[in-house]
Amino acid sequence: DTGVSQDPRHKITKRGQNVTFRCDPISEHNRLYWYRQTLGQGPEFLTYFQNEAQLEKSRLLSNRFSAERPKGSFSTLEIQRTEQGDSAMYLCASSPGFWAAGNTIYFGEGSWLTVV
Amino acid sequence: DAKTTQPNSMESNEEEPVHLPCNHSTISGTDYIHWYRQLPSQGPEYVIHGLTSNVNNRMASLAIAEDRKSSTLILHRATLRDAAVYYCILVSGGSQGNLIFGKGTKLSVKP
C-alpha cells in the first residue's frame, strides 16, 4: 500500500502524559498536513509543511503541540501534558508538488487518541 | 474561504441514484468545488472536484449550477459501501490546502 500511513492507529494515555504520532506521506509528496477530528465534527486543520518547512499553524495548535518534518519525508506530531480535551482522531494528509486549488489531498486513516 | 451548506443527513436505497446537494452562494470566481467522503473510522477520501463545468469520474458526477452558487454530487448507483459522510468544500486559489470541512451530509444506504 503506497497511501499515507499513520502510526499508531490507536493510543490510550493517561492525562498528563506525552504522546507522539508518526505520519509517512505518499512518496515524493512535498506537502504534509495535520488535521484533528472530534466525534461528530469535520476535520479541522492544524498545520502543514512544505518539505521540511512548517509554513502555517492553526490557532488550534496550542503550545503543547509540536510538529516536525525533519528530512522532508515523515512527520511527527507530539502532544505534551495531554488533557482530556485532546481526545480526538489525528489525521495526516499529503499532496504533491506545487499547491493549486485543483489538487487532491490524500488522507491517512488517522490516529485515535483517548486521554483518560 | 467561502462557506457551504449541506443537509445533515440523507437516505438512499441500494442501487438507486443519489443526489447530494451543496449550497455555496458566496463562492468566488477562483474557488474550486471539492467533494470528499469519510467512511466510518477512516480518513477522508477524495471524490471529485470541479470549477465551472460538470465533471464525471469513476466514482461520481458533479453537476455545477450555471451561477455556481450550488452544486450536486451524483452517485449513479448507491451501494452499501457508499454509506459515509460527504463533505462539500470550497478551495480558493489562494489557499494552501488547509481544507475547511463543515459537518457534511451523512448518507445512509438501505439494502
Side-chain angles (χ1 to χ4, degrees):
Chain A
D1 188 302
T2 57
V4 178
S5 177
Q6 294 190 243
D7 183 72
R9 293 293 316 282
H10 301 273
K11 177 75 176 178
I12 300 174
T13 191
K14 292 183 178 179
R15 188 175 49 164
Q17 298 294 304
N18 299 344
V19 296
T20 300
F21 299 111
R22 175 181 170 124
C23 171
D24 286 273
I26 294 172
S27 180
E28 299 182 355
H29 275 195
N30 298 60
R31 293 210 165 201
L32 185 148
Y33 305 84
W34 285 100
Y35 285 76
R36 180 179 73 182
Q37 185 174 24
T38 53
L39 282 175
Q41 304 296 316
E44 297 173 292
F45 168 78
L46 291 178
T47 187
Y48 86 92
F49 292 83
Q50 173 75 32
N51 299 313
E52 66 275 10
Q54 188 173 16
L55 296 184
E56 186 173 346
K57 297 183 196 179
S58 159
R59 59 180 173 78
L60 295 175
L61 208 67
S62 78
N63 55 13
R64 295 185 297 106
F65 288 67
S66 62
E68 293 183 345
R69 194 182 183 197
K71 297 182 180 178
S73 56
F74 73 92
S75 175
T76 58
L77 176 68
E78 181 183 18
I79 308 174
Q80 296 182 326
R81 305 181 303 281
T82 52
E83 301 173 355
Q84 287 188 321
D86 297 331
S87 296
M89 180 164 67
Y90 291 86
L91 289 157
C92 179
S94 68
S95 68
F98 180 75
W99 171 257
N103 282 11
T104 297
I105 293 178
Y106 300 85
F107 285 83
E109 294 194 343
S111 292
W112 286 94
L113 173 65
T114 302
V115 181
V116 297
Chain B
D1 290 305
K3 293 192 184 301
T4 62
T5 303
Q6 299 177 253
N8 289 334
S9 62
M10 291 185 65
E11 277 191 353
S12 172
N13 293 317
E14 197 175 11
E15 298 190 4
E16 290 186 355
V18 182
H19 291 234
L20 296 164
C22 180
N23 287 321
H24 29 78
S25 58
T26 59
I27 191 170
S28 74
T30 57
D31 286 345
Y32 279 75
I33 303 160
H34 285 242
W35 284 81
Y36 283 76
R37 72 179 185 181
Q38 189 170 21
L39 302 172
S41 299
Q42 294 191 23
E45 172 188 34
Y46 167 79
V47 178
I48 200 167
H49 77 276
L51 183 60
T52 56
S53 302
N54 294 346
V55 184
N56 299 300
N57 66 21
R58 64 175 180 81
M59 289 181 70
S61 295
L62 176 60
I64 301 173
E66 196 168 331
D67 64 5
R68 302 212 320 131
K69 293 185 176 182
S70 65
S71 60
T72 302
L73 178 70
I74 302 166
L75 307 179
H76 295 287
R77 289 185 67 202
T79 69
L80 296 178
R81 195 191 172 279
D82 291 322
V85 178
Y86 287 79
Y87 297 99
C88 169
I89 303 168
L90 298 184
V91 181
S92 71
S95 86
Q96 295 299 314
N98 45 331
L99 304 180
I100 299 176
F101 289 81
K103 290 191 176 182
T105 296
K106 183 174 182 178
L107 176 66
S108 302
V109 180
K110 295 184 289 185

